[in-house]
Amino acid sequence: SRAGRTWGEAPRPLALVLHGILDDGGAWERVARGLVEAGLRVVAPDQRGHGRSDHLPPAASYHLVDLVADAEALVDRLASGPVLLVGHSMGAAVAALLAASRPEAVRSLVLVEPVLPPASAGTDPVSPLRAHLAALRSSAAHPVFHDLDSAVERLRRIWPALDAASAREPAERLAEPCPGGFRWRWDARLASRAGLAFDGLGAGRDALLATFARVVVPTTIVHGERSPFDRPGDRADLRTAFPGARVVGLAGGHDLHLEVPEHLAREITRADGS
């Protein structure tokens, strides 16, 4: 089954917002407040394997194309017309792929901190396949934190822009009680990212960019000006793939929805003309 969060009521225009890897729909709460004030209804699913959505059975794996299909099913079920489609990081890739394949279903696209896979030229094509198979074989479980404060500290190492107070809310969302303390809710197999490449074999940058170039709906790309993912060549390749996109920089890192949610909400509503 699938879980997630909603803000606002139908028949308001729908904004479908997609979280990044290892996050969940609740991450959008402070952004959603601004979108609701602008007259939108916001739906933020916990994508498969994340949050309170079900994990896949043993030997199954997570692929971007399946996440795209999940998002499409939500649009078809919930929307009465084209949606505002927003994605962060991994969610940005899902959103862009859906916009490329179903342009009639998307009125405006906002990509927040999109991250490209590394170029595959000169790499061993078997290595990502081995990593993928190893991830499927693995029975490794999450480490157990003896208390929630330990989970907060782990998140602060991942998201150094957050102080202890700011990191507590996502820790409460992303961790669940277990024998001995707390562990992350998301499927531990997601930590390898092995199956999330566009073609499932880790060599998907060119195919991903070529698909992005087919997007015809109005697009806004939002970057964090202090993002660790601002890698050489990535912005140039994104500009080539989205030549007509509006590009915005915000004062923050990768997790703009947590760091500067009010500013991000304003840019999203501006992109949608709300």
Side-chain angles (χ1 to χ4, degrees), residues 5-9 13-17 28 31-33 35-36 40-44:
R5 298 283 301 278
T6 62
W7 299 268
E9 302 293 336
L14 177 64
L16 180 64
V17 294
W28 293 100
V31 175
R33 292 174 193 165
L35 302 185
V36 170
L40 296 167
R41 177 189 181 202
V42 181
V43 173

Side-chain angles (χ1 to χ4, degrees), residues 18-233:
L18 305 175
H19 64 75
I21 185 78
L22 312 187
D23 214 334
D24 73 0
W28 293 100
E29 180 163 10
R30 288 188 288 168
V31 175
R33 292 174 193 165
L35 302 185
V36 170
E37 288 177 2
L40 296 167
R41 177 189 181 202
V42 181
V43 173
D46 293 352
Q47 298 190 78
R48 60 171 64 194
H50 294 79
R52 288 175 170 79
S53 286
D54 287 346
H55 297 180
L56 293 180
S61 55
Y62 297 91
H63 293 281
L64 278 180
V65 290
D66 296 319
L67 300 182
V68 175
D70 291 342
E72 180 188 44
L74 276 176
V75 170
D76 289 343
R77 180 163 62 88
L78 299 176
S80 58
V83 304
L84 165 60
L85 186 57
V86 183
H88 169 249
S89 195
M90 176 194 76
V94 175
L97 292 174
L98 179 55
S101 57
R102 286 284 306 279
E104 73 282 1
V106 180
R107 67 176 182 270
S108 187
L109 175 68
V110 181
L111 307 178
V112 183
E113 274 288 296
V115 176
L116 294 173
S120 58
T123 61
D124 174 10
V126 176
S127 294
L129 176 59
R130 287 174 175 156
H132 181 69
L133 295 177
L136 296 184
R137 291 196 306 269
S138 174
S139 59
H142 285 301
V144 175
F145 304 109
H146 67 274
D147 57 23
L148 193 61
D149 288 340
S150 300
V152 169
E153 288 307 309
R154 178 66 61 86
L155 283 184
R156 290 190 67 196
R157 290 198 290 273
I158 299 169
W159 297 329
L162 301 183
D163 58 24
S166 300
R168 191 164 190 86
E169 184 277 327
E172 290 172 347
R173 284 191 289 102
L174 298 174
E176 63 183 356
C178 69
F182 293 83
R183 66 187 175 200
W184 302 127
R185 293 182 186 276
W186 44 268
D187 191 332
R189 286 172 291 178
L190 288 163
S192 76
R193 278 104 161 140
L196 285 172
F198 180 52
D199 61 359
L201 297 177
R205 182 185 179 101
D206 291 344
L208 199 62
L209 286 166
T211 308
F212 289 173
R214 299 289 296 273
V215 172
V216 296
V217 303
T219 300
T220 297
I221 301 174
V222 185
H223 291 289
E225 293 172 348
R226 298 190 298 273
S227 173
F229 293 100
D230 188 13
R231 295 186 291 231

